[in-house]
Amino acid sequence: MGATSRVTRLLLATALAAAAVAVGLTQANADQDNQRIVGGSRASIADHPYVVYLATAEGFQFCGGTLVDDKKVVTAAHCTVGKQPADIAVVAGREDKESGAGVSAPVQKIWVHPEYTNVRSGNDVSVLTLTKPLPYRPLPLPNKDEEGLYAAGAPGVILGWGRVAADGQPSRYLLQATVPVVADADCAESYTGYKPETMVCAGLPEGGVDTCQGDSGGPLIVAGKLAGITSWGEGCAAPGKPGVYTRVAVYRDVIEEPALESKVSVPTQ
Ligand code: 4AZ
């Protein structure tokens, strides 16, 4: 066999391999377009204009968030703790992460709940102040005494760009699902150390529908209000292991005026 034919064969083999990879990728994209894992289905930004994602300076989506005012985003403390404003961009109005739709807003200030240590201890709440107002409708916060939002069985809407299975890939598109609020007594059976004062669980007893890694910081919406912040859970969509969310009503005051909380540590005369 001559040198020319060897080169030709090599080129052919390379072309065939490239074609196979391309077909595989197209298949993967097609599968994701029809993603129904963890109970998700495509959601539209037009229906949920307040849902945003947090991206690194390089543009990589790592958490969700909710606009509660034109310059304020509520997210999870575990998404922002230890970061500087320049490390986070808030992306609004962009359903498809691979599109240029909507706006990316720089962060001016990061507030992390001063008593936050880790997700299982609670206080998983953070507020980002943006450098410019965003032209998207915010989601109302619950009132402090709005306990009705947390009634067992109340339907909660979850939204995010996170993983579509516990061991799966993040979603290219915004996905949504509806899960019922779980009674505190039931969630305490699922997780020892569950704190009903500052957390709320949502999910089906049989599993199958849940938030997952990358959805953290995003909303749990009950009756049109930001009832919860996606916080933690064991795995994703596993039976008997509902998602755990920050109980937002408890934090209403500190979210509205984060400076109030820091006054706690100021000595009084
Ligand atoms: C996470 O790692 C995570 N199934 C978020 C939500 C849930 C589990 C883990 C709930 O960000």
Side-chain angles (χ1 to χ4, degrees):
M1 177 169 54
T4 313
S5 110
R6 225 179 292 143
V7 168
T8 311
R9 279 179 194 222
L10 193 66
L11 283 174
L12 240 174
T14 308
L16 279 173
V21 167
V23 168
L25 286 177
T26 308
Q27 192 55 49
N29 288 344
D31 288 349
Q32 191 166 65
D33 286 348
N34 297 309
Q35 203 53 256
R36 294 291 185 277
I37 313 176
V38 198
S41 61
R42 288 280 305 268
S44 99
I45 280 285
D47 291 341
H48 304 283
Y50 38 74
V51 66
V52 301
Y53 68 77
L54 311 189
T56 61
E58 295 77 35
F60 176 80
Q61 180 266 327
F62 64 92
C63 270
T66 308
L67 270 176
V68 295
D69 202 354
D70 61 2
K71 281 175 74 175
K72 252 184 180 181
V73 169
V74 169
T75 185
H78 81 263
C79 291
T80 64
V81 71
K83 292 196 164 78
Q84 299 299 313
D87 299 335
I88 306 174
V90 169
V91 180
R94 189 172 304 167
E95 206 173 297
D96 174 1
K97 290 194 286 199
E98 291 179 24
S99 80
V103 256
S104 176
V107 172
Q108 184 175 76
K109 190 178 118 194
I110 302 173
W111 175 85
V112 176
H113 194 289
E115 275 126 62
Y116 172 78
T117 52
N118 62 80
V119 293
R120 284 179 183 257
S121 299
N123 301 317
D124 194 8
V125 53
S126 175
V127 180
L128 305 177
T129 306
L130 309 178
T131 57
K132 59 180 182 186
L134 292 180
Y136 297 97
R137 173 170 58 88
L139 189 67
L141 288 165
N143 295 318
K144 250 185 134 168
D145 56 0
E146 215 165 339
E147 272 302 306
L149 293 184
Y150 304 104
V157 174
I158 47 178
L159 288 156
W161 290 262
R163 289 188 185 189
V164 296
D167 56 356
Q169 296 289 315
S171 177
R172 168 178 170 179
Y173 301 101
L174 175 63
L175 299 180
Q176 68 174 352
T178 301
V179 279
V181 169
V182 173
D184 287 329
D186 292 342
C187 202
E189 297 211 343
S190 294
Y191 299 113
T192 51
Y194 168 71
K195 296 182 171 173
E197 303 81 19
T198 60
M199 301 173 187
V200 62
C201 296
L204 299 164
E206 67 271 28
V209 186
D210 199 5
T211 44
C212 201
Q213 201 186 336
D215 292 321
S216 281
L220 166 73
I221 305 167
V222 180
K225 296 197 171 170
L226 181 61
I229 303 164
T230 302
S231 180
W232 63 281
E234 280 176 24
C236 303
K241 296 291 177 186
V244 188
Y245 300 81
T246 306
R247 204 168 184 113
V248 174
V250 177
Y251 299 100
R252 159 96 200 202
D253 290 351
V254 286
I255 290 171
E256 292 249 289
E257 195 48 79
L260 285 178
E261 186 72 16
S262 53
K263 282 187 188 159
V264 171
S265 57
V266 175
T268 46
Q269 291 295 327

